[in-house]
Amino acid sequence: RALRSADAESERTAAVIRVAIFAAIVAAVVVAQSAGFDHAPLVVATFAYGAGTLVALLLAWRRVFHPWLPYAFVAMDVLTLAFAIQMLGRMLDLSTGVAVTLPVGGLVVLVLLHASMHHKPSLVLFGAGAFVACLAAGALLPRDVLRLPHGHAEAADHLEHFRLFPIVIFGLASAILALTTRRTRRAIREAYVQASRAA
């Protein structure tokens, strides 16, 4: 019962952090659009992530929790991110191996850190495996499938507005790690208190 209660609390915290990640993605898309860059893949991925964020907040607000929910949300995060990376790579005529090194690819670190808040190694491994599988599946598609037009001739110019993205990822990753270690420390303290009472 205690573990289930902790998982439910983790899901509520994860829902709030999901809003922060969603806000960072929206900010990147807005900056891109204002700079004259048309990033249709990121727009589609942002809408998908926003829908998932809304569902997570609704479930957290209603205190609905099932053990499979974290896996479902991690799968959604991974699919959305892999789609964005694949489409950006095709738009810039980059291979999957190169596209994953784009600044937006750093979001996979946030996804895995986000998953680690549940203190379940299986959830982190599930997210990592699903991400690799999605990228591998996308790399097997013919190059002409879902090919997008170039927004600009030079990829460096096209990606210039993403220069702040690693800083945003660093900030969010630091916040998630701080929350995770705080929750872990609190759980250990409560365990000692319960052990002392039992003694």
Side-chain angles (χ1 to χ4, degrees):
R1 192 182 304 116
L3 288 175
R4 182 178 179 85
S5 177
D7 279 342
E9 183 183 353
S10 296
E11 195 58 46
R12 287 191 290 270
T13 305
V16 175
I17 291 179
R18 190 180 299 276
V19 174
I21 297 175
F22 175 64
I25 297 175
V26 169
V29 173
V30 169
V31 170
Q33 297 292 343
S34 64
F37 297 97
D38 184 18
H39 276 292
L42 274 184
V43 172
V44 173
T46 300
F47 273 108
Y49 194 87
T53 299
L54 184 61
V55 171
L57 283 175
L58 180 62
L59 293 177
W61 178 67
R62 297 176 62 90
R63 295 185 178 274
V64 176
F65 177 77
H66 296 283
W68 52 265
L69 269 179
Y71 291 90
F73 283 125
V74 168
M76 184 204 70
D77 294 344
V78 165
L79 286 172
T80 302
L81 180 58
F83 172 79
I85 291 174
Q86 291 283 358
M87 293 302 98
L88 281 174
R90 290 173 187 272
M91 185 166 60
L92 299 174
D93 199 22
L94 302 174
S95 65
T96 301
V98 176
V100 77
T101 64
L102 295 174
V104 70
L107 285 174
V108 70
V109 177
L110 291 185
V111 171
L112 296 180
L113 284 173
H114 202 190
S116 71
M117 293 188 65
H118 293 276
H119 305 296
K120 290 183 177 180
S122 60
L123 185 61
V124 177
L125 293 175
F126 169 78
F131 182 70
V132 173
C134 288
L135 289 182
L140 293 177
L141 292 175
R143 295 294 299 169
D144 293 333
V145 176
L146 298 176
R147 179 180 291 277
L148 299 172
H150 288 267
H152 291 268
E154 295 294 333
D157 293 338
H158 193 81
L159 296 172
E160 178 64 23
H161 61 279
F162 276 132
R163 62 188 182 278
L164 295 179
F165 220 76
I167 299 176
V168 174
I169 292 174
F170 173 77
L172 287 173
S174 300
I176 292 173
L177 280 173
L179 283 172
T180 301
T181 52
R182 178 175 176 270
R183 290 185 66 253
T184 302
R185 185 178 181 86
R186 187 177 63 183
I188 293 174
R189 187 187 311 117
E190 290 177 355
Y192 274 110
V193 169
Q194 293 296 331
S196 298
R197 289 177 180 173

